[in-house]
Amino acid sequence: MLCTRITNARVITMDAARPAARELGIWRGRIVGLDEEVAGLPARRTLDLDGATVLPGFIDAHVHLAWAGLKAHAPSVTPSRRADDVLRVVADAVTRAPAGGWVDFGGYDQRTLDRPLTATDLDSVSAGRKVCLGHLSGHACLVNSAVLAGLPAEVARPDGFLAEAAMGAALRSRPPHSLSELASAIGRAARVCRSEGITGCAEAGVGARLFGHSPIEGAAFQLARESGLLPLRVQLMVAADALRPVEAAGEDTTSRAIDLGLRTGFGDGPLSLGALKIFTDGGMMARTAALSSPYLGGGGSGQLMHEPDVLESTIVAGHLAGWQLAVHAIGDRAVDVALATLEKAQKLRPRPEAHHRIEHAGLVRPDQLPRLAALGVTVVVQPSFLRYYGDDYATVMGEERADWLYRGRGFLDHGVRVAGSSDRPVADGAPLRAIRFMVERASESGRPIGAGEAITVEEALRAYTVEAARACHWEGDAGSLTAGKRADLVVLGDDPRRVDVSRIADIEVLRTFVEGDDAY
């Protein structure tokens, strides 16, 4: 007997062998079959969807649930356009914090203000508290003098604007969040994901020195799971910072590991270990993404997180130890480093089944496309960045390089796999909105950005289902509505392929099933 029979639906399976159906059967969290394969089988529950569209549940291949949940409850300085307005928000919020305490704010973006703020400005309204304004990009922050006083002299910039490693030093001086606080934050963000049709995601870097929230952050996800706060499947990327030197048997080729040598693939069900996250550069909004030619309008060419030989050592060691690698590379210079080191790693020990990934691939030159294809890596892109930050990105890249931003068509035409993601909370995380942006390639102002990189709706859907599943090593269990796979699916009020592209983002998410369960 089926647990659930779904009938009268427009089922888009994302399986080329059987692309469409009208009926789907579920038993014990798995798909039994389609149409005639389940016809006549009794069912405990029958759902008549009245022509609604059913797709595989969306998978967001790169998110930050803990950060998103914390940010949602922190005071925000967005959408202030005047520096004095930001200071008023800070002055109001610090009065609710204990004397001498730490107060976090979200949404700081110096590019949109009438003047940049400084530590001295924050001092005037901090009332004896330690104040940190997190930059919208996640790659910088603005802190007051009380925070600067506790930092090493080499990173404590007098103006209080700290990027990358300096930001990491500031955040490490903050008292760690408790596990219960983090678990609640994870649950808040995960519920939003599920309401948007997401059934699984990859948390992009627990244990990171750059923006970690606790030295035992991974335990917060376990607590969230045990407490019933995790309504979807989560894969934890482990930041390379968490590795330590080990002396294993020579044939094991493992020189660095997390405790007990756990690596990609450990765990099953709703919580497991995914890729090893390695930062090669910073972010474009903070002007720290590493470019081969400078940003227009000043600001230099960005920066690599470490010297190339150090990055190579980390990447090669992770590959030899059996990890899937998720290499953060936004600027084209960083992509050069990622390509060279991954090529070396695969030459030393071929592992085509590793499904290595490049996170973001924000600026990719034409000459880099064939090398990406030859390596067989998946690029994990964030389409919403073009929508919300595209005007700025295109301006600082210039006319030629703007066409290389967050590519779509160029990747696919060269045979490079593309997985969709949000980098939530850096940008809006709703997959249907991102799918629209992958097709439209326009900023909020309507400015076309790399119009030739537009892809089809079907290809964009594939990025958020089939390809995102493969990027997480879930292709045997998710990504398509195929017999034997998990019954992770989303029910939509309309078919994204049949409506005007401008309407895709407005399609209603009616239900989200995780292993056949649509109650959460």
Side-chain angles (χ1 to χ4, degrees):
M1 175 179 285
L2 298 174
C3 297
T4 303
R5 180 199 308 281
I6 291 175
T7 66
N8 192 17
R10 179 180 287 125
V11 180
I12 304 170
T13 68
M14 303 306 295
D15 179 357
R18 183 162 191 169
R22 297 288 295 174
E23 191 168 324
L24 181 147
I26 300 170
W27 182 69
R28 293 189 177 181
R30 296 275 170 170
I31 298 170
V32 174
L34 304 165
D35 290 347
E36 77 284 352
E37 297 167 341
V38 295
L41 294 179
R44 294 191 182 95
R45 177 175 71 151
T46 297
L47 290 177
D48 185 326
L49 294 186
D50 193 26
T53 296
V54 177
L55 276 159
F58 297 127
I59 296 170
D60 190 331
H62 184 121
V63 301
H64 301 278
L65 293 179
W67 176 19
L70 290 170
K71 183 178 178 181
H73 268 217
S76 176
V77 298
T78 301
S80 302
R81 292 293 179 264
R82 297 175 63 249
D84 288 346
D85 293 337
V86 172
L87 295 176
R88 272 192 286 273
V89 172
V90 174
D92 177 64
V94 297
T95 62
R96 296 188 290 275
W102 182 292
V103 188
D104 285 309
F105 294 82
Y108 180 64
D109 188 354
Q110 81 288 354
R111 301 168 307 162
T112 65
L113 298 178
D114 55 347
R115 65 178 177 87
L117 288 168
T118 67
T120 302
D121 291 319
L122 292 183
D123 293 342
S124 68
V125 294
S126 296
R129 278 72 167 178
K130 295 180 179 180
V131 173
C132 177
L133 274 59
H135 195 270
L136 194 66
S137 68
H139 287 268
C141 63
L142 179 72
V143 300
N144 66 352
S145 297
V147 175
L148 290 174
L151 301 182
E154 62 269 21
V155 301
R157 279 182 43 160
D159 66 357
F161 188 77
L162 309 176
E164 308 304 347
M167 176 197 71
L171 295 183
R172 289 194 298 278
S173 73
R174 183 204 190 283
H177 294 276
S178 70
L179 288 183
S180 61
E181 183 182 9
L182 287 174
S184 295
I186 290 162
R188 281 194 296 272
R191 288 192 295 274
V192 173
C193 288
R194 183 150 170 179
S195 72
E196 296 169 347
I198 296 170
T199 56
C201 63
E203 175 74 11
V206 296
R209 289 174 60 83
L210 187 62
F211 51 78
H213 301 97
S214 164
I216 54 173
E217 189 174 17
F221 285 86
Q222 189 171 358
L223 178 61
R225 167 59 184 161
E226 293 166 348
S227 305
L229 299 175
L230 207 57
L232 42 73
R233 191 172 308 276
V234 176
Q235 188 179 81
L236 302 179
M237 292 188 208
V238 176
D241 300 338
L243 301 184
R244 58 183 178 82
V246 295
E247 294 184 6
E251 64 267 26
D252 292 332
T253 66
T254 299
S255 59
R256 294 179 231 178
I258 60 173
D259 288 344
L260 301 180
L262 304 180
R263 57 173 173 80
T264 303
F266 178 78
D268 199 3
L271 192 61
S272 61
L273 283 185
L276 183 69
K277 174 77 174 293
I278 301 166
F279 284 92
T280 65
D281 69 344
M284 213 166 279
M285 277 187 279
R287 308 299 192 248
T288 53
L291 308 181
S292 57
S293 299
Y295 293 91
L296 297 188
S301 300
Q303 64 190 69
L304 293 174
M305 284 291 184
H306 302 283
E307 291 299 315
D309 61 329
V310 175
L311 294 170
E312 177 185 295
S313 173
T314 303
I315 289 172
V316 170
H319 173 84
L320 293 178
W323 286 93
Q324 177 192 24
L325 303 179
V327 183
H328 168 115
I330 292 183
D332 63 325
R333 184 185 175 208
V335 173
D336 279 333
V337 171
L339 286 167
T341 52
L342 288 172
E343 286 166 349
K344 180 174 182 178
Q346 288 286 16
K347 185 175 181 180
L348 287 171
R349 182 186 172 196
R351 287 180 57 219
E353 78 290 348
H355 296 182
H356 292 326
R357 311 158 37 140
I358 292 184
E359 309 300 301
H360 309 296
L363 187 73
V364 175
R365 302 187 309 269
D367 64 284
Q368 294 172 323
L369 294 171
R371 292 177 67 190
L372 286 166
L375 265 174
V377 298
T378 295
V379 293
V380 182
V381 298
Q382 296 75 41
S384 293
F385 284 12
L386 286 180
R387 179 70 171 183
Y388 300 113
Y389 314 125
D391 287 327
D392 174 58
Y393 289 6
T395 298
V396 297
M397 290 299 112
E399 186 175 349
E400 180 184 26
R401 289 187 296 177
D403 287 344
W404 306 343
L405 288 166
Y406 292 93
R407 290 175 178 270
R409 177 56 53 206
F411 288 139
L412 295 180
D413 285 353
H414 281 79
V416 180
R417 293 179 178 271
V418 177
S421 73
S422 66
D423 205 11
R424 180 193 307 262
V426 178
D428 180 279
L432 285 172
R433 280 194 276 274
I435 287 164
R436 172 190 169 185
F437 304 154
M438 294 178 91
V439 179
E440 284 188 333
R441 300 285 306 190
S443 69
E444 279 190 301
S445 72
R447 178 178 182 173
I449 301 174
E453 291 292 328
I455 63 176
T456 68
V457 174
E458 187 87 21
E459 290 166 334
L461 288 171
R462 185 176 176 85
Y464 274 89
T465 54
V466 175
E467 295 298 346
R470 185 180 182 276
C472 296
H473 281 281
W474 288 338
E475 65 269 31
D477 271 332
S480 66
L481 302 181
T482 307
K485 291 192 175 184
R486 296 193 303 260
D488 294 353
L489 47 99
V490 58
V491 181
L492 303 178
D494 216 329
D495 183 343
R497 306 169 307 173
R498 295 173 180 245
V499 302
D500 186 89
V501 172
S502 64
R503 289 189 51 228
I504 292 175
D506 300 321
I507 294 174
E508 185 179 1
V509 176
L510 302 176
R511 296 172 184 256
T512 306
F513 291 77
V514 174
E515 293 192 6
D517 181 10
D518 60 337
Y520 68 100

